[in-house]
């Protein structure tokens, strides 16, 4: 009896000790949707259970997140770990403890299509162009190319392509030429792609909307079935799921050089150095956490073995990521700058193909 009482007393002491043992606080700044944040909290709770740590999450907006994190730090607020965009600006790097950045997620572009309109997704760039024309319908039910088609009375577009977004357009140029982002860019491939999209532009077969807000309009048009397919990323899945709109995902259309997709994503950065924070960073970079992020959020970390495993299970995002090309800050800005200005001038008839190619070749020289 005395032994039982002693054991119970020891158990009670241990339980109370566990409950009241001081926890070291770890402050994390993230930019996540509500669902993503819930998934992260589950992962962190599992760590808290076996370590004397308590996490405080600060969820900030996606826009200007580097500046927002800087403002918090310079106001005296403590942030130990930040989830930041993979395209980190140079000025922010002074806040990061050296050599402590680890990937949290990688993203690529994919093809989303409405199976009620398109039964099979386009497999090639040729198919994609044809589908864009075939499924662009006016109010009389005529498709682009049919006699009496009314380009000013279109009710459904075949595809939504953001012509002035470098990420989006790189899908087509890169699939025709793997050297697209180098000085070895192929003249014929480059001109061929440019001409084909200029024709789509001139035929009014692409939505002409405010490019400063093209993303929201793209998703809205897809959900409202005003566009049959779009190129977007896995980050749009939660919005599509909530909309109850039918959709399927496929690999991006293949050019003569194969599938091409830019890769971006998020990463963890350590902003405050101590052993507790380093242990948390080690946990966040583990394969265990990679699998949990995938389970809770569908987030994929760039572990080749895991990508191969997911691809074998039919995960389209993982399969596309295996062929993706990492986009850093330099070439991301180059793509943005070129397609939002020079390529736009070309589409509007202010530059010819030779001038456009020369401008691009001069641009990519700055990357090397």
């Amino acid at each position: 009896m005395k032994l039982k009482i002693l054991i119970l007393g020891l158990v009670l002491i241990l339980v109370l000790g566990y409950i009241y043992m001081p926890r070291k606080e770890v402050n994390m700044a993230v930019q996540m949707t509500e669902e993503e944040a819930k998934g992260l909290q589950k992962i962190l709770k599992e760590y808290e259970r076996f370590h004397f740590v308590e996490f405080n999450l600060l969820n900030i907006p996606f826009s200007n997140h580097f500046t927002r994190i800087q403002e918090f730090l310079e106001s005296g607020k403590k942030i130990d770990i930040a989830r930041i965009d993979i395209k980190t600006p140079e000025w922010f790097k002074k806040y990061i403890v050296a050599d402590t950045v680890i990937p949290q997620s990688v993203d690529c572009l994919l093809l989303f299509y409405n199976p009620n309109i398109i039964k099979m997704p386009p497999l090639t760039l040729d198919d994609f162009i044809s589908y864009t024309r075939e499924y662009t319908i006016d109010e009389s039910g005529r498709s682009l190319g049919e006699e009496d088609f009314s380009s000013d009375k279109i009710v459904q577009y075949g595809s939504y392509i953001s012509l002035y977004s470098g990420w989006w357009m790189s899908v087509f140029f890169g699939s025709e030429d793997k050297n697209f982002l180098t000085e070895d860019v192929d003249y014929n491939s480059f001109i061929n792609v440019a001409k084909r999209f200029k024709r789509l532009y001139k035929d009014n077969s692409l939505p002409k909307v405010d490019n400063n807000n093209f993303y929201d309009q793209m998703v809205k048009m897809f959900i409202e079935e005003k566009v049959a397919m779009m190129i977007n990323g896995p980050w749009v899945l939660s919005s599509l799921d909530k909309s109850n709109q039918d959709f399927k995902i496929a690999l991006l259309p293949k050019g003569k050089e194969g599938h091409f997709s830019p890769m971006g994503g998020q990463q963890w950065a350590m902003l405050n150095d101590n052993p507790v924070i380093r242990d948390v960073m080690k946990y966040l970079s583990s394969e265990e956490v990679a699998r949990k992020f995938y389970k809770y959020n569908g987030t994929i970390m760039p572990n080749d073995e895991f990508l191969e495993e997911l691809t074998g299970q039919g995960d389209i995002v993982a399969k596309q990521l295996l062929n993706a090309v990492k986009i850093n800050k330099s070439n991301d800005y180059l793509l943005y700058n070129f397609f939002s200005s020079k390529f736009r001038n070309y589409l509007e008839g202010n530059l010819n193909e030779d001038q456009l190619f020369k401008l691009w070749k001069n641009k990519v020289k700055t990357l090397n």
Side-chain angles (χ1 to χ4, degrees):
M1 186 67 180
K2 287 183 178 180
L3 182 60
K4 285 184 178 180
I5 293 172
L6 180 61
I7 291 171
L8 287 171
L10 287 171
V11 169
L12 181 61
I13 290 170
L14 289 171
V15 170
L16 290 173
Y18 176 81
I19 292 172
Y20 291 107
M21 178 73 74
R23 263 65 172 171
K24 292 190 170 71
E25 289 191 344
V26 177
N27 301 300
M28 299 177 69
V30 301
Q31 323 85 42
M32 290 182 164
T33 64
E34 186 179 341
E35 291 303 311
E36 280 184 308
K38 285 179 182 176
L40 174 60
Q41 285 170 338
K42 287 180 184 178
I43 292 168
L44 297 180
K45 283 292 181 188
E46 292 174 24
Y47 188 83
E48 285 180 340
R49 194 174 298 133
F50 301 104
H51 301 78
F52 293 102
V53 168
E54 181 178 344
F55 291 98
N56 299 315
L57 280 188
L58 172 66
N59 202 351
I60 60 178
F62 282 90
S63 59
N64 299 318
H65 60 276
F66 288 106
T67 301
R68 293 171 187 272
I69 294 169
Q70 180 193 38
E71 288 171 354
F72 278 109
L73 290 170
E74 295 188 350
S75 70
K77 293 182 180 177
K78 186 180 174 187
I79 296 177
D80 301 302
I81 298 171
R83 181 183 187 249
I84 59 175
D85 193 287
I86 203 167
K87 302 182 292 294
T88 309
E90 287 297 321
W91 65 264
F92 187 81
K93 291 180 180 177
K94 69 179 181 181
Y95 297 101
I96 301 173
V97 178
D99 303 319
T100 57
V101 174
I102 57 172
Q104 186 269 313
S105 67
V106 285
D107 286 321
C108 58
L109 290 172
L110 302 153
L111 180 70
F112 291 79
Y113 67 100
N114 187 326
N116 298 318
I117 301 172
I118 296 175
K119 300 307 176 187
M120 291 291 293
L123 300 178
T124 67
L125 182 53
D126 288 342
D127 291 339
F128 186 84
I129 299 288
S130 297
Y131 275 43
T132 296
R133 298 176 64 84
E134 179 183 352
Y135 290 98
T136 297
I137 309 295
D138 70 11
E139 63 181 9
S140 299
R142 290 180 289 260
S143 63
L144 185 67
E146 286 189 58
E147 191 176 350
D148 297 327
F149 171 81
S150 299
S151 62
D152 59 336
K153 295 179 180 178
I154 295 172
V155 295
Q156 174 196 290
Y157 289 91
S159 66
Y160 193 122
I161 306 164
S162 178
L163 290 167
Y164 313 135
S165 170
W167 268 53
W168 269 253
M169 287 307 298
S170 70
V171 166
F172 305 105
F173 284 91
S175 69
E176 288 288 284
D177 178 18
K178 291 293 186 187
N179 293 318
F180 164 60
L181 286 168
T182 75
E183 289 184 65
D184 295 326
V185 55
D186 182 75
Y187 174 85
N188 291 326
S189 295
F190 185 92
I191 297 301
N192 181 48
V193 174
K195 281 182 175 180
R196 298 175 82 177
F197 282 95
K198 185 171 184 178
R199 183 184 174 192
L200 291 177
Y201 176 85
K202 290 178 73 175
D203 285 345
N204 293 315
S205 58
L206 302 171
K208 288 190 171 75
V209 293
D210 175 16
N211 196 59
N212 293 322
N213 190 29
F214 78 90
Y215 180 81
D216 289 339
Q217 295 181 62
M218 176 195 304
V219 176
K220 184 172 184 289
M221 289 181 73
F222 185 80
I223 289 172
E224 293 176 351
E225 297 193 350
K226 292 179 179 177
V227 61
M229 57 185 170
M230 66 175 176
I231 290 176
N232 215 317
W235 52 82
V236 80
L237 288 169
S238 59
S239 297
L240 296 181
D241 286 334
K242 286 179 182 177
S243 74
N244 295 317
Q245 173 60 277
D246 286 342
F247 70 93
K248 288 190 176 181
I249 311 173
L251 294 176
L252 293 168
K254 186 166 59 174
K256 69 180 183 182
E257 290 291 333
H259 301 284
F260 183 94
S261 176
M263 179 199 296
Q266 303 289 323
Q267 51 195 5
W268 295 118
M270 196 166 89
L271 308 184
N272 182 31
D273 194 0
N274 67 52
V276 173
I277 308 303
R278 287 188 176 269
D279 285 344
V280 173
M281 290 288 284
K282 186 177 179 181
Y283 173 68
L284 291 172
S285 65
S286 66
E287 184 178 340
E288 171 194 359
V289 167
R291 292 178 180 276
K292 286 176 180 175
F293 266 118
Y294 183 76
K295 176 183 176 182
Y296 296 139
N297 291 353
T299 296
I300 297 178
M301 288 169 62
N303 177 300
D304 286 344
E305 187 176 337
F306 190 36
L307 286 176
E308 293 282 2
E309 181 183 324
L310 292 175
T311 299
Q313 296 170 7
D315 189 293
I316 297 294
V317 180
K319 191 171 183 178
Q320 187 74 75
L321 277 168
L322 286 173
N323 296 286
V325 175
K326 187 174 180 180
I327 299 292
N328 60 26
K329 176 177 172 287
S330 297
N331 52 25
D332 180 63
Y333 179 74
L334 180 148
L335 287 167
Y336 166 78
N337 180 267
F338 183 83
F339 283 95
S340 62
S341 58
K342 306 299 185 292
F343 192 66
R344 185 176 207 152
N345 289 337
Y346 163 71
L347 293 175
E348 294 170 354
N350 299 318
L351 290 173
N352 62 35
E353 281 82 20
D354 287 340
Q355 290 170 322
L356 183 73
F357 180 78
K358 185 177 180 180
L359 286 168
W360 176 255
K361 189 150 186 173
N362 288 335
K363 280 280 186 183
V364 293
K365 285 179 182 178
T366 64
L367 294 178
N368 303 311

